[in-house]
Amino acid sequence: MATSSALTPAEFAKLRSLPPADAIAWMRGRGQLTETYSWQDLWQREHAQQFTVSRLARVDLLDALRDGLTKSVAGDLTRKDWMRDAEKLLADAGWWGAKAVTDPVTGEKVMTRFDPARLKLIYDTNTRQAYAAGQWQRIQRTKRALPYLRYVTKRDDRVRPLHALWDNVTLPVDDPFWQTHFPPNGYRCRCSVIQVTQAEYDRGNTPRGPALKKQRPEVVTSEFVNRRTGEVTDVPAGIDPGFDFNVGDSRQALLTNLVQRKLASLSAPMRTAAQAAGLSPAPLRGLGGTATTATAWTDPKTGQVRVYLNDLPEQRGAKVWIEPLERPDSSGADYTVKVKADNLTRVEVSNLANAAERFLGQLAGRRVKLLAELLLLLGA
């Protein structure tokens, strides 16, 4: 990605066509399956690490629904496909239509219903949040070239009044407004943001002509009481309770905390050296039954992630790492295995690279093509 203030048409097209690796990573990162009996049981940032469908008291069904949503985000299933599969899954398990369940908090019998309207809501809410989380990660990586965000609505009669007022609000990426107003801002919210270059911001108009709104809107809040926990929060007007947070920033905070925990597990000299160098080493788990391990390293200047593999068969001190590609290769993979060794022959280097590929293939049970997915499998 260029670091100048302007993007060429080719660069912009490339940016728009990138696979949703970060969105997939967000969905896969919600590893904890949680049974809930009210939408208020799982609150705000908890959604970044947990997956739930209110009053669906079957972990196996939650797992299957989440897996289907992840495949849909990856482009393997349409909404129609997912809804068809989900309906069959729930019907076969006796959960289609109305069903009574017992709320463990109150002990009361409560009704839940699974029908096409609810499946559509589940699908839209989860996929829109996944894409928003992925978009936020991309925004953070490209904010030097695209330092502003513009709020965009569908501009039809279904847009909520306050959302319509935010249309064309254009503020710096790091403005606190985006911590509470980064869309989606409620159930069925169709709003989005567009990244804006410095030149476009200075010009002061959208491509279609209307002026950019460069002032942060006044934010009026009201108290909301979570009746399940008793927690009182101030929710901005125009945003549904539980949506007043930046889902992508929450995911990044979780990853940052993970890195900090892993740094804390290092010996004091190693931790001091790593922090002094501005690095974030993250020891990753190896493949069961082998001695092979992996270590993640993030370049503090570029943000590029490398994963070094250690103790491969016949490695003999050679450096083996997984490096992101500038663009996916012919198979769709966005990373490649690199080997550097002065003491190995060309054949030995090739064999070592193949051993690394086999290790990764065995770890995943298949050839993972996206670096974001691989990092999750390795425990990054």
Side-chain angles (χ1 to χ4, degrees), residues 31-320:
Q32 183 175 336
L33 300 170
T34 305
E35 294 182 14
T36 58
Y37 292 80
S38 167
W39 63 272
Q40 296 178 39
D41 284 342
L42 205 58
W43 196 242
Q44 294 185 330
R45 290 167 173 80
E46 294 171 340
H47 284 279
Q49 57 185 332
Q50 302 177 52
F51 176 80
T52 191
V53 174
S54 183
R55 299 182 183 177
L56 179 58
R58 284 271 301 272
V59 173
D60 58 330
L61 299 180
L62 285 172
D63 190 31
L65 293 176
R66 181 191 57 183
D67 184 59
L69 288 166
T70 303
K71 290 178 180 177
S72 188
V73 169
D76 297 330
L77 286 175
T78 65
R79 182 170 69 176
K80 182 178 179 181
D81 292 334
W82 182 83
M83 290 182 63
R84 177 202 63 216
D85 295 346
E87 179 177 343
K88 184 178 187 305
L89 174 76
L90 293 167
D92 290 346
W95 280 80
W96 190 248
K99 186 176 180 67
V101 294
T102 301
D103 186 333
V105 174
T106 65
E108 298 176 355
K109 287 284 187 180
V110 291
M111 296 301 297
T112 189
R113 174 178 290 276
F114 286 94
D115 55 23
R118 189 173 182 198
L119 288 185
K120 182 178 178 182
L121 181 63
I122 292 169
Y123 180 92
D124 288 349
T125 301
N126 281 276
T127 56
R128 286 172 185 174
Q129 286 193 323
Y131 285 121
Q135 184 184 23
W136 182 255
Q137 299 308 310
R138 188 168 67 186
I139 286 168
Q140 291 301 307
R141 290 196 297 270
T142 59
K143 63 184 179 182
R144 282 194 298 174
L146 300 155
Y148 298 92
L149 297 179
R150 176 163 66 92
Y151 196 99
V152 179
T153 72
K154 292 295 186 182
R155 304 187 184 111
D156 58 24
D157 58 6
R158 293 168 53 196
V159 175
R160 303 169 208 203
L162 278 178
H163 295 199
L165 290 177
W166 302 333
D167 193 47
N168 287 332
V169 165
T170 307
L171 300 169
V173 167
D174 294 324
D175 191 281
F177 179 79
W178 303 118
Q179 290 302 306
T180 52
H181 289 69
F182 191 82
N185 285 314
Y187 293 107
R188 301 183 179 87
C189 174
R190 300 168 296 146
C191 300
S192 60
V193 298
I194 293 177
Q195 291 181 264
V196 175
T197 67
Q198 186 67 53
E200 291 169 331
Y201 182 82
D202 293 342
R203 191 164 59 243
N205 296 91
T206 71
R208 295 186 177 182
L212 302 179
K213 301 174 183 177
K214 298 184 178 182
Q215 296 297 317
R216 186 189 308 152
E218 180 184 4
V219 177
V220 177
T221 64
S222 59
E223 282 192 355
F224 175 80
V225 180
N226 185 324
R227 61 183 177 83
R228 301 287 282 189
T229 65
E231 181 182 1
V232 179
T233 55
D234 291 322
V235 178
I239 299 181
D240 290 353
F243 283 82
D244 53 320
F245 74 107
N246 185 317
V247 65
D249 197 53
S250 297
R251 176 62 180 160
Q252 185 58 46
L254 288 170
L255 294 176
T256 299
N257 290 338
L258 176 64
V259 169
Q260 293 303 317
R261 290 197 302 271
K262 289 181 176 179
L263 276 172
S265 69
L266 299 176
S267 65
M270 288 182 65
R271 181 168 61 251
T272 300
Q275 292 171 332
L279 309 182
S280 299
L284 310 179
R285 71 173 180 266
L287 179 64
T290 77
T292 303
T293 60
T295 303
W297 173 77
T298 302
D299 188 312
K301 294 182 179 179
T302 67
Q304 186 182 73
V305 177
R306 278 188 181 182
V307 178
Y308 286 90
L309 298 180
N310 312 301
D311 299 315
L312 287 162
E314 304 301 322
Q315 187 164 352
R316 297 196 310 223
K319 290 185 177 180
V320 182

